[in-house]
Amino acid sequence: MKYRALWIDDDCKTTGRDFIGQAEQDDIDITAFESHEEGMAYLEKNLNYFHVVILDAKVKHKKDDTVIGLEGLRASRDRLIELNNRIELPYFIFTGQPDYQTNEMFRESYGDFYIKGADEEKLIHDIIERVEHLEEYILHKEYQKVFEIFADKYIGNKGASHLLNILKKENKNKAFDNPDLYFNPLRKIMDDLFIAFNKYGILPSVFVKPSVSFNESSKFLSGFIEKDFQLDAPVFPKVVSDHVRNILAVCQPAAHRAEIDMFVSQVNSPYLLLSVTYQLLDILLWFKGYIDINGDIEVNKLRYHQVERAATLERIVAIIEKDKLGNHHCGNYVLTYTHVRDNDYKVGDEIRILRTADNTNIKTMDLYSKSVLDSEKN
């Protein structure tokens, strides 16, 4: 795995080419900018991509500056100090000003530095040694195949920081007294996943706009009719479908989340969080392989069709009740526990039944002849 550095130096694209080539031989991939303004703007958009930053002592502050001084270095250093509250990002000063070696004021302000033409090998060695001990780098290396999915081709890079924070060692030993700090980021990654399915034409836009419909998207990709659409064949294998349902059951901010929060508080462990996190990693790896094979958007759009609802079913409106055995039903129509949970239904809700099937459940078929497959709140 390469070491990735951002370099801000107004000579980086001219006299700096030799150093870039030298660093590349030691697996250091350098992205170079000529000013603080350009370099920091790019860094903040790709914060989880880089491991270190290299700064010149005298560099442009603004892109169009003609006068070069310490202002650019000072601005970059101050911004990096702020960013290190979010992510550990070491920086190295690499200057062509050898007179700074005797400038105690500069050294007191900026620390040790490296001289161009003399310290290239030492700088490369120190960058590698420093990166090898970064927790972010260690995790990126351990989960390299997963982090490859946080790219524009797949689900975008927004979720990388969420996953990185969950995987960090210190989080594994904390008391999870605020599950939202962990479950919300997982849900955001799922959000990015469904949006990526839409980007590749597999999931119709009605599932993700104006916001992602998690349960409906999951069931549609599992082969069910949702929002009047159905796939010719399920996209999710059963294992992936089960993983997605597990993650959504834990992470969605619905009424049943109170039970999740209570459980986490009682057991005071990270294991529920980690179990759904590892299931998500499997889903992401599966998604990458699936898109690599099924990346043709126009072909994907031909894989689903619109389904007309039965007019008779559209007129079935009923109130949810619960019998003595704990079964939810609307008259002769039984609702499974999963259907009630996924739609966040409760006793007394008025729903419109949209699709049914013969009830084949041995436990309830003598009580209710029909099972509700699709419904919505009236």
Side-chain angles (χ1 to χ4, degrees):
M1 180 173 167
K2 286 184 175 293
Y3 313 97
R4 297 190 290 267
L6 181 125
W7 188 18
I8 301 177
D9 187 322
D10 55 295
D11 293 324
C12 62
K13 295 181 180 179
T14 53
T15 57
R17 289 178 179 176
D18 289 342
F19 175 64
I20 292 175
Q22 185 178 350
E24 178 63 32
Q25 293 178 17
D26 287 284
D27 285 334
I28 300 176
D29 187 13
I30 295 179
T31 303
F33 292 90
E34 296 179 345
S35 70
H36 156 79
E37 179 182 46
E38 296 168 289
M40 283 295 123
Y42 188 83
L43 175 66
E44 294 193 40
K45 289 181 180 178
N46 301 274
L47 192 57
N48 290 283
Y49 177 80
F50 293 103
H51 301 122
V52 298
V53 176
I54 305 170
L55 302 173
D56 188 13
K58 287 187 176 181
V59 69
K60 294 179 182 179
H61 182 230
K62 301 288 186 181
K63 178 181 178 181
D64 297 325
D65 283 350
T66 54
V67 178
I68 299 175
L70 292 176
E71 185 180 1
L73 170 64
R74 184 165 53 249
S76 293
R77 183 220 35 203
D78 292 348
R79 185 60 185 136
L80 286 169
I81 291 172
E82 294 176 7
L83 291 173
N84 268 276
N85 292 324
R86 294 161 49 189
I87 185 171
E88 188 176 3
L89 194 65
Y91 66 89
F92 300 82
I93 297 176
F94 185 39
T95 179
Q97 308 293 325
D99 54 310
Y100 282 165
Q101 288 181 321
T102 58
N103 189 323
E104 290 303 318
M105 184 176 296
F106 181 86
R107 192 177 293 275
E108 286 179 11
S109 298
Y110 299 102
D112 292 332
F113 52 91
Y114 302 80
I115 300 299
K116 293 178 181 178
D119 294 332
E120 278 80 359
E121 289 187 9
K122 185 176 188 305
L123 175 58
I124 288 172
H125 173 273
D126 289 353
I127 286 174
I128 293 173
E129 184 173 353
R130 184 71 181 89
V131 172
E132 286 284 354
H133 289 86
L134 286 176
E135 186 173 18
E136 286 83 0
Y137 177 79
I138 294 170
L139 287 169
H140 270 115
K141 193 172 183 178
E142 183 178 356
Y143 295 93
Q144 183 174 354
K145 289 184 178 180
V146 175
F147 280 103
E148 288 174 359
I149 301 160
F150 293 95
D152 289 340
K153 179 180 177 181
Y154 301 109
I155 69 169
N157 63 7
K158 291 187 297 182
S161 60
H162 298 314
L163 179 60
L164 192 62
N165 288 335
I166 292 170
L167 293 174
K168 281 185 177 179
K169 183 178 179 180
E170 65 262 29
N171 287 344
K172 296 179 183 178
N173 301 314
K174 283 184 178 179
F176 291 89
D177 54 348
N178 186 358
D180 285 343
L181 295 177
Y182 307 92
F183 296 144
N184 283 347
L186 287 174
R187 193 174 67 252
K188 289 178 181 177
I189 297 174
M190 292 298 297
D191 193 272
D192 293 338
L193 179 67
F194 287 130
I195 290 173
F197 272 117
N198 172 253
K199 176 178 72 175
Y200 276 99
I202 301 167
L203 189 64
S205 295
V206 67
F207 288 90
V208 299
K209 296 178 181 179
S211 60
V212 173
S213 301
F214 288 104
N215 291 321
E216 291 86 347
S217 297
S218 170
K219 289 189 283 188
F220 171 79
L221 293 170
S222 299
F224 294 97
I225 297 174
E226 293 294 332
K227 296 184 180 288
D228 300 339
F229 286 95
Q230 185 176 30
L231 286 158
D232 292 336
V235 167
F236 284 163
K238 187 178 185 306
V239 173
V240 171
S241 181
D242 290 344
H243 280 1
V244 171
R245 290 173 69 83
N246 290 339
I247 294 168
L248 296 181
V250 170
C251 298
Q252 285 197 96
H256 68 276
R257 263 299 303 279
E259 300 174 13
I260 300 294
D261 294 352
M262 182 178 295
F263 175 81
V264 171
S265 176
Q266 288 174 342
V267 299
N268 192 27
S269 83
Y271 304 128
L272 178 61
L273 163 72
L274 294 177
S275 68
V276 294
T277 298
Y278 293 139
Q279 289 180 71
L280 176 59
L281 301 191
D282 267 345
I283 293 169
L284 294 177
L285 290 172
W286 168 84
F287 173 77
K288 180 180 184 298
Y290 184 87
I291 292 301
D292 286 344
I293 297 173
N294 301 279
D296 191 316
I297 297 174
E298 296 308 315
V299 170
N300 289 335
K301 287 181 177 179
L302 298 175
R303 299 177 60 184
Y304 60 79
H305 57 280
Q306 203 154 8
V307 179
E308 292 185 6
R309 301 186 184 189
T312 55
L313 288 181
E314 288 191 283
R315 293 196 294 269
I316 299 175
V317 177
I319 303 295
I320 296 178
E321 301 176 79
K322 193 173 186 179
D323 64 24
K324 293 179 181 180
L325 299 176
N327 300 308
H328 289 84
H329 67 101
C330 294
N332 191 39
Y333 298 90
V334 68
L335 294 86
T336 65
Y337 167 78
T338 302
H339 189 81
V340 172
R341 182 196 66 190
D342 288 350
N343 289 281
D344 196 23
Y345 288 158
K346 58 183 180 296
V347 174
D349 282 347
E350 185 178 67
I351 65 170
R352 180 181 291 107
I353 298 172
L354 304 176
R355 192 163 61 96
T356 68
D358 290 335
N359 184 13
T360 58
N361 188 316
I362 297 175
K363 295 181 179 179
T364 60
M365 61 190 301
D366 291 336
L367 299 172
Y368 309 101
S369 63
K370 294 290 185 180
S371 177
V372 177
L373 299 181
D374 192 14
S375 66
E376 63 187 13
K377 285 187 178 180
N378 193 30

